Amino acid sequence: MMAAMAEDRRLELHPTYPVRTPRLLLRPVTADDVDAVLAYRGRADVCRYLPFEPMDRAEVVESIASRWTTTALTDAGQALLLGVELVATGELIGDLVLFFHSREHRGGELGYVINPDFAGRGYATEAAAALLDLAFDGLGLHRVVARLDERNDASARMARRLGMRPEARLVQSEFFKGEWATELDFALLADEWPAHRDRLAAAVSAGPR
């Protein structure tokens, strides 16, 4: 009984910010980030396969002031959104979100969006790997999933780079932005993550891919 209670208490995440990787800082977004967030979340091509429409300035300002203010995860149903900042320049180049779906099943979900102007340098994978560290080693999740539109090839490639396993293809499962969309579901378990984390760390050390 005591072991179960201790495990239950461990299902909280209180990161020390910024969360550092070799090239990036993960930290809460602030009012100073409005222009940087708008530069990618306001783009139609970025939002094409994401579950939101291009955002305008007012929407970004409101989101930063309200639903993106969470800095810790303490119970299921919460989400933690963190900005991705370049150490070298201080630029905000994207954001990631960790959804805490289930305390009982220790389940969560990963989401990510990166400014295409910074694509192709491994930043998204490096940032997502840090978020998976928080999910598994920090929060204590057992399983993390990523759900994406089948047409979003870049997102699917990144899920595979992270070591996530394709588990389901839900054909025309959702009427999404005016048309039927097919969903791909990827997943990763806590005991699978260490090997992938070491592989990704070695890749970052070797330089951009």
Coordinates of all heavy atoms in Angstrom, one line a residue, residues 69-157:
T69 N -0.1 29.0 -19.3 CA 0.5 29.5 -18.1 C 1.0 28.3 -17.2 O 1.7 28.5 -16.3 CB -0.4 30.4 -17.3 OG1 -1.6 29.7 -17.0 CG2 -0.7 31.7 -18.1
T70 N 0.5 27.1 -17.5 CA 0.9 25.9 -16.7 C 2.4 25.7 -16.7 O 3.0 25.7 -17.8 CB 0.2 24.7 -17.2 OG1 -1.2 24.9 -17.1 CG2 0.6 23.5 -16.4
T71 N 3.0 25.5 -15.5 CA 4.4 25.3 -15.5 C 4.8 24.0 -14.8 O 5.9 23.6 -14.7 CB 5.1 26.4 -14.7 OG1 4.6 26.5 -13.4 CG2 5.0 27.8 -15.4
A72 N 3.7 23.2 -14.3 CA 3.9 21.9 -13.7 C 2.7 21.1 -14.0 O 1.6 21.6 -14.4 CB 4.1 22.1 -12.2
L73 N 2.9 19.8 -13.9 CA 1.8 18.8 -14.1 C 1.6 18.1 -12.7 O 2.5 17.5 -12.2 CB 2.1 17.8 -15.1 CG 2.3 18.3 -16.6 CD1 2.7 17.2 -17.5 CD2 1.0 18.9 -17.0
T74 N 0.3 18.2 -12.2 CA 0.0 17.6 -10.9 C -1.1 16.6 -11.0 O -1.4 15.9 -10.0 CB -0.3 18.7 -9.9 OG1 -1.4 19.5 -10.4 CG2 0.9 19.6 -9.7
D75 N -1.9 16.6 -12.1 CA -3.0 15.7 -12.2 C -3.3 15.4 -13.7 O -3.0 16.2 -14.6 CB -4.2 16.2 -11.5 CG -5.1 15.1 -11.0 OD1 -4.9 13.9 -11.4 OD2 -6.1 15.3 -10.3
A76 N -4.0 14.3 -13.9 CA -4.5 14.0 -15.3 C -5.4 15.1 -15.8 O -6.1 15.7 -15.0 CB -5.2 12.6 -15.3
G77 N -5.4 15.3 -17.1 CA -6.2 16.3 -17.8 C -5.4 17.6 -18.0 O -6.0 18.5 -18.7
Q78 N -4.2 17.7 -17.5 CA -3.4 18.9 -17.6 C -2.5 18.8 -18.8 O -2.2 17.7 -19.3 CB -2.7 19.2 -16.3 CG -3.5 19.5 -15.1 CD -2.7 19.6 -13.9 OE1 -1.6 19.2 -13.8 NE2 -3.3 20.2 -12.9
A79 N -2.0 19.9 -19.3 CA -1.1 20.0 -20.4 C 0.0 21.0 -20.1 O -0.3 22.1 -19.5 CB -1.8 20.3 -21.7
L80 N 1.2 20.7 -20.4 CA 2.4 21.6 -20.2 C 3.0 21.9 -21.6 O 3.5 21.1 -22.3 CB 3.4 20.8 -19.4 CG 4.8 21.6 -19.1 CD1 4.5 22.8 -18.3 CD2 5.8 20.7 -18.4
L81 N 2.9 23.2 -21.9 CA 3.4 23.7 -23.1 C 4.7 24.5 -22.8 O 4.7 25.4 -22.0 CB 2.4 24.6 -23.9 CG 2.9 25.2 -25.2 CD1 1.8 25.1 -26.3 CD2 3.4 26.6 -25.1
L82 N 5.8 24.2 -23.5 CA 7.1 24.8 -23.3 C 7.6 25.4 -24.7 O 7.5 24.7 -25.7 CB 8.1 23.8 -22.8 CG 7.7 23.2 -21.4 CD1 8.8 22.2 -21.0 CD2 7.6 24.3 -20.3
G83 N 8.2 26.5 -24.6 CA 8.8 27.1 -25.8 C 10.2 26.5 -26.0 O 10.8 26.0 -25.0
V84 N 10.6 26.5 -27.2 CA 12.0 26.0 -27.6 C 12.8 27.2 -28.0 O 12.6 27.8 -29.0 CB 11.9 25.0 -28.7 CG1 13.2 24.4 -29.1 CG2 10.9 23.8 -28.4
E85 N 13.9 27.4 -27.2 CA 14.7 28.6 -27.5 C 16.1 28.1 -27.9 O 16.7 27.2 -27.3 CB 14.8 29.4 -26.2 CG 15.7 30.6 -26.3 CD 15.8 31.4 -25.0 OE1 14.8 31.6 -24.3 OE2 17.0 31.8 -24.6
L86 N 16.7 28.8 -28.8 CA 18.1 28.5 -29.2 C 19.1 29.1 -28.2 O 19.0 30.3 -28.0 CB 18.4 29.1 -30.6 CG 17.8 28.3 -31.8 CD1 18.2 29.1 -33.1 CD2 18.2 26.9 -31.9
V87 N 20.0 28.3 -27.7 CA 21.0 28.8 -26.8 C 21.8 29.8 -27.5 O 22.2 30.9 -26.9 CB 21.8 27.6 -26.2 CG1 23.0 28.2 -25.5 CG2 21.0 26.7 -25.3
A88 N 22.2 29.6 -28.7 CA 23.2 30.5 -29.4 C 22.7 31.9 -29.6 O 23.4 32.8 -29.6 CB 23.6 29.8 -30.7
T89 N 21.4 32.0 -29.9 CA 20.8 33.3 -30.3 C 19.7 33.8 -29.4 O 19.4 35.0 -29.5 CB 20.3 33.2 -31.7 OG1 19.2 32.3 -31.7 CG2 21.4 32.7 -32.7
G90 N 19.1 33.0 -28.6 CA 18.0 33.4 -27.8 C 16.7 33.5 -28.5 O 15.7 33.9 -28.0
E91 N 16.7 33.0 -29.7 CA 15.4 33.0 -30.5 C 14.5 31.8 -30.1 O 14.9 30.7 -29.9 CB 15.7 32.8 -32.0 CG 16.5 33.9 -32.6 CD 17.0 33.5 -34.1 OE1 18.0 32.8 -34.2 OE2 16.3 33.9 -35.0
L92 N 13.2 32.1 -30.0 CA 12.2 31.1 -29.8 C 11.8 30.5 -31.2 O 11.4 31.2 -32.1 CB 11.0 31.7 -29.1 CG 10.0 30.6 -28.7 CD1 10.3 30.1 -27.3 CD2 8.5 31.1 -28.7
I93 N 12.0 29.2 -31.4 CA 11.8 28.6 -32.7 C 10.7 27.6 -32.7 O 10.4 27.0 -33.8 CB 13.1 27.9 -33.1 CG1 13.5 26.7 -32.2 CG2 14.3 28.9 -33.2 CD1 14.5 25.8 -32.7
G94 N 9.9 27.4 -31.6 CA 8.8 26.5 -31.7 C 8.4 26.2 -30.3 O 8.8 26.9 -29.3
D95 N 7.4 25.3 -30.1 CA 7.0 24.9 -28.8 C 6.5 23.4 -28.9 O 6.3 22.8 -29.9 CB 5.8 25.8 -28.3 CG 4.6 25.8 -29.3 OD1 3.9 24.8 -29.3 OD2 4.4 26.8 -30.0
L96 N 6.5 22.8 -27.7 CA 6.1 21.4 -27.5 C 5.1 21.3 -26.4 O 5.1 22.2 -25.5 CB 7.3 20.5 -27.1 CG 8.5 20.5 -28.1 CD1 9.6 21.5 -27.5 CD2 9.1 19.1 -28.2
V97 N 4.3 20.3 -26.4 CA 3.3 20.1 -25.3 C 3.3 18.7 -24.9 O 3.4 17.7 -25.7 CB 1.9 20.6 -25.8 CG1 1.4 19.7 -27.0 CG2 0.9 20.5 -24.7
L98 N 3.2 18.5 -23.6 CA 3.0 17.2 -22.9 C 1.7 17.2 -22.3 O 1.4 17.9 -21.4 CB 4.2 16.9 -21.9 CG 4.0 15.6 -21.1 CD1 4.1 14.4 -22.0 CD2 5.1 15.6 -20.0
F99 N 0.8 16.3 -22.7 CA -0.5 16.1 -22.2 C -0.4 14.9 -21.1 O 0.1 13.8 -21.5 CB -1.5 15.7 -23.2 CG -1.7 16.7 -24.3 CD1 -1.1 16.7 -25.5 CD2 -2.6 17.8 -24.1 CE1 -1.3 17.6 -26.5 CE2 -2.8 18.8 -25.0 CZ -2.2 18.7 -26.2
F100 N -0.9 15.1 -19.9 CA -1.0 14.1 -18.9 C -2.4 13.5 -19.0 O -3.4 14.1 -18.4 CB -0.7 14.7 -17.6 CG -0.7 13.8 -16.4 CD1 -0.7 12.4 -16.6 CD2 -0.6 14.2 -15.1 CE1 -0.7 11.5 -15.5 CE2 -0.5 13.4 -14.0 CZ -0.6 12.0 -14.2
H101 N -2.6 12.4 -19.7 CA -3.9 11.9 -19.9 C -4.5 11.0 -18.8 O -5.7 11.1 -18.5 CB -3.9 11.0 -21.2 CG -3.9 11.8 -22.5 ND1 -4.5 13.0 -22.6 CD2 -3.2 11.6 -23.7 CE1 -4.3 13.5 -23.8 NE2 -3.5 12.7 -24.5
S102 N -3.7 10.2 -18.2 CA -4.2 9.2 -17.2 C -3.2 9.0 -16.1 O -2.1 8.6 -16.3 CB -4.5 7.9 -17.9 OG -4.9 6.9 -17.0
R103 N -3.7 9.2 -14.9 CA -2.9 8.8 -13.7 C -2.9 7.3 -13.5 O -1.9 6.7 -13.2 CB -3.5 9.5 -12.4 CG -2.7 9.2 -11.2 CD -3.2 10.1 -10.0 NE -2.8 11.4 -10.2 CZ -1.6 11.9 -9.8 NH1 -0.8 11.1 -9.2 NH2 -1.3 13.2 -9.9
E104 N -4.1 6.7 -13.6 CA -4.3 5.3 -13.4 C -3.4 4.5 -14.4 O -2.7 3.5 -14.0 CB -5.7 4.8 -13.6 CG -5.9 3.3 -13.4 CD -7.4 2.9 -13.7 OE1 -8.2 3.8 -14.1 OE2 -7.7 1.7 -13.6
H105 N -3.4 4.8 -15.7 CA -2.6 4.1 -16.7 C -1.3 4.7 -17.0 O -0.6 4.2 -17.8 CB -3.5 4.0 -17.9 CG -4.8 3.4 -17.7 ND1 -5.0 2.1 -17.3 CD2 -6.1 3.9 -17.8 CE1 -6.3 1.8 -17.2 NE2 -6.9 2.9 -17.5
R106 N -1.0 5.8 -16.3 CA 0.3 6.5 -16.5 C 0.6 6.8 -18.0 O 1.6 6.5 -18.5 CB 1.4 5.7 -15.8 CG 1.3 5.7 -14.3 CD 2.1 4.6 -13.7 NE 3.5 4.6 -14.1 CZ 4.4 3.7 -13.9 NH1 4.0 2.5 -13.4 NH2 5.7 3.8 -14.3
G107 N -0.4 7.4 -18.6 CA -0.3 7.7 -20.0 C -0.3 9.2 -20.3 O -0.9 10.0 -19.6
G108 N 0.4 9.5 -21.4 CA 0.6 10.9 -21.8 C 0.7 11.0 -23.4 O 0.7 9.9 -24.1
E109 N 0.7 12.2 -23.8 CA 0.8 12.4 -25.3 C 1.8 13.6 -25.6 O 1.8 14.6 -24.8 CB -0.6 12.7 -25.8 CG -0.6 12.9 -27.3 CD -2.0 13.2 -27.9 OE1 -3.0 12.9 -27.1 OE2 -2.1 13.7 -29.0
L110 N 2.5 13.4 -26.6 CA 3.5 14.4 -27.1 C 3.0 15.2 -28.3 O 2.4 14.6 -29.2 CB 4.8 13.7 -27.4 CG 5.9 14.5 -28.1 CD1 6.5 15.6 -27.2 CD2 7.0 13.6 -28.6
G111 N 3.2 16.5 -28.3 CA 2.8 17.3 -29.5 C 4.0 18.3 -29.7 O 4.7 18.7 -28.8
Y112 N 4.1 18.7 -31.0 CA 5.2 19.6 -31.3 C 5.0 20.5 -32.5 O 4.3 20.0 -33.4 CB 6.5 18.9 -31.5 CG 6.4 17.5 -32.2 CD1 6.3 17.4 -33.6 CD2 6.3 16.3 -31.4 CE1 6.1 16.2 -34.2 CE2 6.1 15.1 -32.1 CZ 6.0 15.1 -33.5 OH 5.9 13.8 -34.1
V113 N 5.5 21.7 -32.5 CA 5.4 22.5 -33.7 C 6.7 23.4 -33.7 O 7.0 24.0 -32.7 CB 4.1 23.4 -33.7 CG1 3.9 24.2 -32.4 CG2 4.1 24.3 -34.9
I114 N 7.4 23.4 -34.8 CA 8.6 24.1 -35.0 C 8.5 25.0 -36.2 O 8.0 24.7 -37.2 CB 9.8 23.1 -35.1 CG1 10.0 22.2 -33.9 CG2 11.1 23.9 -35.4 CD1 10.4 23.0 -32.7
N115 N 9.1 26.2 -36.1 CA 9.1 27.1 -37.2 C 9.9 26.5 -38.3 O 11.1 26.1 -38.2 CB 9.9 28.4 -36.7 CG 9.8 29.5 -37.7 OD1 9.8 29.3 -38.9 ND2 9.7 30.8 -37.3
P116 N 9.3 26.4 -39.5 CA 10.0 25.7 -40.7 C 11.3 26.4 -41.0 O 12.2 25.8 -41.7 CB 9.0 25.9 -41.8 CG 7.6 26.0 -41.1 CD 7.9 26.8 -39.9
D117 N 11.5 27.7 -40.7 CA 12.7 28.4 -41.0 C 13.9 27.8 -40.3 O 15.1 28.0 -40.7 CB 12.6 29.9 -40.6 CG 11.6 30.6 -41.4 OD1 11.2 30.1 -42.5 OD2 11.2 31.8 -41.0
F118 N 13.6 26.9 -39.3 CA 14.7 26.3 -38.5 C 14.7 24.8 -38.7 O 15.3 24.0 -37.9 CB 14.6 26.6 -37.0 CG 14.7 28.1 -36.8 CD1 13.6 29.0 -36.8 CD2 16.0 28.7 -36.5 CE1 13.8 30.3 -36.5 CE2 16.1 30.0 -36.3 CZ 15.0 30.9 -36.3
A119 N 14.0 24.3 -39.7 CA 13.9 22.9 -39.9 C 15.2 22.3 -40.5 O 16.1 23.0 -41.0 CB 12.8 22.6 -40.9
G120 N 15.4 21.0 -40.4 CA 16.5 20.3 -41.0 C 17.8 20.4 -40.2 O 18.8 19.9 -40.7
R121 N 17.7 20.8 -39.0 CA 18.9 20.9 -38.1 C 18.9 20.0 -36.9 O 19.7 20.1 -36.0 CB 19.2 22.4 -37.8 CG 19.3 23.3 -39.0 CD 19.4 24.7 -38.6 NE 18.7 25.6 -39.5 CZ 18.6 26.9 -39.4 NH1 19.3 27.5 -38.5 NH2 18.0 27.6 -40.3
G122 N 17.8 19.2 -36.8 CA 17.7 18.3 -35.6 C 17.1 19.0 -34.4 O 17.1 18.4 -33.3
Y123 N 16.7 20.3 -34.4 CA 16.2 20.9 -33.2 C 14.9 20.3 -32.7 O 14.8 20.2 -31.5 CB 16.0 22.4 -33.5 CG 17.2 23.3 -33.9 CD1 17.1 24.2 -34.9 CD2 18.4 23.1 -33.2 CE1 18.2 25.0 -35.2 CE2 19.5 23.9 -33.5 CZ 19.4 24.8 -34.5 OH 20.5 25.6 -34.8
A124 N 14.0 20.0 -33.6 CA 12.7 19.4 -33.1 C 12.9 18.1 -32.4 O 12.4 17.9 -31.3 CB 11.8 19.2 -34.3
T125 N 13.8 17.2 -32.9 CA 14.1 16.0 -32.3 C 14.8 16.1 -31.0 O 14.4 15.5 -30.0 CB 14.9 15.1 -33.2 OG1 14.3 15.0 -34.5 CG2 15.1 13.7 -32.7
E126 N 15.7 17.1 -30.9 CA 16.4 17.3 -29.7 C 15.5 17.8 -28.6 O 15.6 17.4 -27.4 CB 17.5 18.4 -29.9 CG 18.4 18.6 -28.8 CD 19.6 19.6 -29.1 OE1 20.0 19.6 -30.3 OE2 20.1 20.3 -28.2
A127 N 14.6 18.7 -29.0 CA 13.6 19.3 -28.0 C 12.6 18.2 -27.6 O 12.3 18.1 -26.4 CB 12.9 20.4 -28.6
A128 N 12.1 17.4 -28.5 CA 11.2 16.4 -28.1 C 11.8 15.3 -27.3 O 11.1 14.8 -26.4 CB 10.6 15.7 -29.4
A129 N 13.1 15.0 -27.5 CA 13.7 14.1 -26.6 C 13.8 14.6 -25.2 O 13.6 13.8 -24.2 CB 15.2 13.8 -27.1
A130 N 14.0 15.9 -25.0 CA 14.1 16.4 -23.7 C 12.7 16.4 -23.0 O 12.6 16.1 -21.8 CB 14.5 17.9 -23.7
L131 N 11.6 16.5 -23.8 CA 10.3 16.4 -23.3 C 9.9 15.0 -22.9 O 9.3 14.8 -21.9 CB 9.3 17.0 -24.3 CG 7.9 17.3 -23.7 CD1 8.0 18.5 -22.8 CD2 6.9 17.6 -24.8
L132 N 10.4 14.0 -23.7 CA 10.2 12.6 -23.3 C 11.0 12.3 -22.0 O 10.5 11.5 -21.2 CB 10.7 11.7 -24.4 CG 9.7 11.7 -25.6 CD1 10.4 10.9 -26.8 CD2 8.4 11.1 -25.3
D133 N 12.1 12.9 -21.8 CA 12.8 12.7 -20.5 C 11.9 13.2 -19.4 O 11.8 12.6 -18.3 CB 14.1 13.5 -20.5 CG 15.3 12.7 -21.0 OD1 15.2 11.4 -20.9 OD2 16.3 13.3 -21.4
L134 N 11.3 14.4 -19.6 CA 10.4 14.9 -18.5 C 9.2 14.0 -18.3 O 8.8 13.7 -17.2 CB 9.9 16.3 -18.9 CG 10.9 17.4 -18.9 CD1 10.3 18.7 -19.4 CD2 11.6 17.6 -17.6
A135 N 8.7 13.4 -19.4 CA 7.5 12.6 -19.3 C 7.8 11.3 -18.6 O 7.1 10.9 -17.7 CB 7.0 12.2 -20.7
F136 N 8.9 10.6 -18.9 CA 9.3 9.3 -18.3 C 10.0 9.4 -17.0 O 9.6 8.9 -16.0 CB 10.1 8.5 -19.3 CG 9.3 8.1 -20.5 CD1 9.8 8.3 -21.8 CD2 8.1 7.4 -20.4 CE1 9.1 7.9 -22.9 CE2 7.4 7.0 -21.5 CZ 7.9 7.2 -22.8
D137 N 11.1 10.2 -17.0 CA 12.0 10.3 -15.8 C 11.4 11.3 -14.8 O 11.7 11.1 -13.6 CB 13.4 10.6 -16.2 CG 14.0 9.6 -17.1 OD1 13.6 8.4 -17.1 OD2 14.9 9.9 -17.9
G138 N 10.8 12.3 -15.3 CA 10.3 13.3 -14.4 C 8.9 13.0 -13.8 O 8.7 12.9 -12.6
L139 N 7.9 12.9 -14.8 CA 6.6 12.6 -14.4 C 6.3 11.2 -14.0 O 5.5 10.9 -13.1 CB 5.6 13.0 -15.5 CG 4.1 12.9 -15.3 CD1 3.7 13.7 -14.0 CD2 3.4 13.4 -16.5
G140 N 7.1 10.3 -14.6 CA 6.9 8.8 -14.2 C 5.9 8.1 -15.1 O 5.3 7.1 -14.7
L141 N 5.7 8.6 -16.3 CA 4.7 8.0 -17.2 C 5.2 6.6 -17.7 O 6.4 6.4 -17.7 CB 4.4 8.9 -18.4 CG 3.7 10.2 -18.1 CD1 3.4 10.9 -19.4 CD2 2.4 10.0 -17.3
H142 N 4.3 5.8 -18.0 CA 4.6 4.4 -18.5 C 4.6 4.4 -20.1 O 5.3 3.7 -20.7 CB 3.5 3.4 -18.0 CG 3.6 2.1 -18.7 ND1 4.7 1.2 -18.6 CD2 2.7 1.5 -19.5 CE1 4.4 0.1 -19.3 NE2 3.3 0.3 -19.9
R143 N 3.7 5.3 -20.6 CA 3.5 5.2 -22.1 C 3.2 6.6 -22.6 O 2.4 7.3 -22.0 CB 2.4 4.3 -22.4 CG 1.9 4.2 -23.9 CD 0.7 3.2 -23.9 NE 0.0 3.3 -25.2 CZ 0.3 2.6 -26.3 NH1 1.3 1.7 -26.3 NH2 -0.4 2.7 -27.4
V144 N 3.8 7.0 -23.7 CA 3.6 8.3 -24.3 C 3.2 8.0 -25.8 O 3.9 7.2 -26.5 CB 4.8 9.2 -24.3 CG1 4.5 10.5 -25.1 CG2 5.1 9.6 -22.8
V145 N 2.2 8.7 -26.3 CA 1.7 8.5 -27.7 C 1.9 9.8 -28.4 O 2.0 10.9 -27.8 CB 0.3 8.0 -27.8 CG1 0.1 6.7 -27.0 CG2 -0.7 9.1 -27.2
A146 N 1.9 9.7 -29.7 CA 1.8 10.9 -30.6 C 0.8 10.5 -31.7 O 0.8 9.5 -32.3 CB 3.2 11.2 -31.3
R147 N -0.2 11.4 -31.9 CA -1.2 11.2 -32.9 C -1.1 12.3 -33.9 O -1.1 13.5 -33.6 CB -2.6 11.3 -32.2 CG -2.8 10.2 -31.1 CD -4.2 10.2 -30.5 NE -4.4 11.5 -29.9 CZ -5.5 12.3 -30.2 NH1 -6.4 11.9 -31.1 NH2 -5.7 13.4 -29.6
L148 N -1.1 11.9 -35.2 CA -0.9 12.9 -36.3 C -1.6 12.5 -37.6 O -2.0 11.3 -37.8 CB 0.6 13.0 -36.5 CG 1.4 11.7 -36.8 CD1 1.7 11.5 -38.2 CD2 2.7 11.8 -36.0
D149 N -1.8 13.5 -38.4 CA -2.4 13.3 -39.7 C -1.4 12.5 -40.6 O -0.2 12.8 -40.6 CB -2.7 14.6 -40.3 CG -3.6 14.5 -41.6 OD1 -3.1 13.9 -42.6 OD2 -4.7 15.1 -41.6
E150 N -2.0 11.5 -41.3 CA -1.1 10.6 -42.1 C -0.3 11.4 -43.2 O 0.8 11.0 -43.6 CB -2.0 9.6 -42.8 CG -1.2 8.6 -43.7 CD -2.1 7.6 -44.3 OE1 -3.1 8.0 -45.0 OE2 -1.9 6.4 -44.2
R151 N -0.9 12.5 -43.6 CA -0.2 13.3 -44.6 C 1.0 14.2 -44.1 O 1.7 14.8 -44.8 CB -1.2 14.3 -45.3 CG -2.3 13.5 -46.0 CD -3.5 14.4 -46.4 NE -4.2 14.8 -45.2 CZ -5.3 15.6 -45.1 NH1 -5.8 16.0 -46.3 NH2 -5.8 16.0 -44.0
N152 N 1.1 14.2 -42.8 CA 2.1 15.0 -42.1 C 3.4 14.2 -42.1 O 3.8 13.7 -41.0 CB 1.7 15.5 -40.7 CG 2.6 16.6 -40.2 OD1 3.7 16.8 -40.6 ND2 2.1 17.2 -39.1
D153 N 4.1 14.1 -43.2 CA 5.3 13.2 -43.3 C 6.4 13.7 -42.4 O 7.1 12.8 -41.8 CB 5.8 13.3 -44.8 CG 4.8 12.6 -45.8 OD1 4.1 11.7 -45.3 OD2 4.8 13.0 -46.9
A154 N 6.6 15.0 -42.2 CA 7.7 15.4 -41.4 C 7.5 15.0 -39.9 O 8.4 14.6 -39.2 CB 7.9 16.9 -41.5
S155 N 6.2 15.1 -39.5 CA 5.9 14.7 -38.1 C 6.1 13.2 -37.9 O 6.6 12.8 -36.9 CB 4.5 15.2 -37.8 OG 4.2 15.0 -36.4
A156 N 5.7 12.4 -38.9 CA 5.8 11.0 -38.8 C 7.3 10.6 -38.8 O 7.7 9.7 -38.0 CB 5.1 10.3 -40.0
R157 N 8.1 11.2 -39.6 CA 9.6 10.9 -39.6 C 10.2 11.3 -38.2 O 11.0 10.5 -37.7 CB 10.3 11.7 -40.7 CG 10.0 11.2 -42.1 CD 11.0 11.8 -43.1 NE 11.0 13.3 -43.1 CZ 10.2 14.0 -43.9 NH1 9.3 13.4 -44.7 NH2 10.2 15.3 -43.9

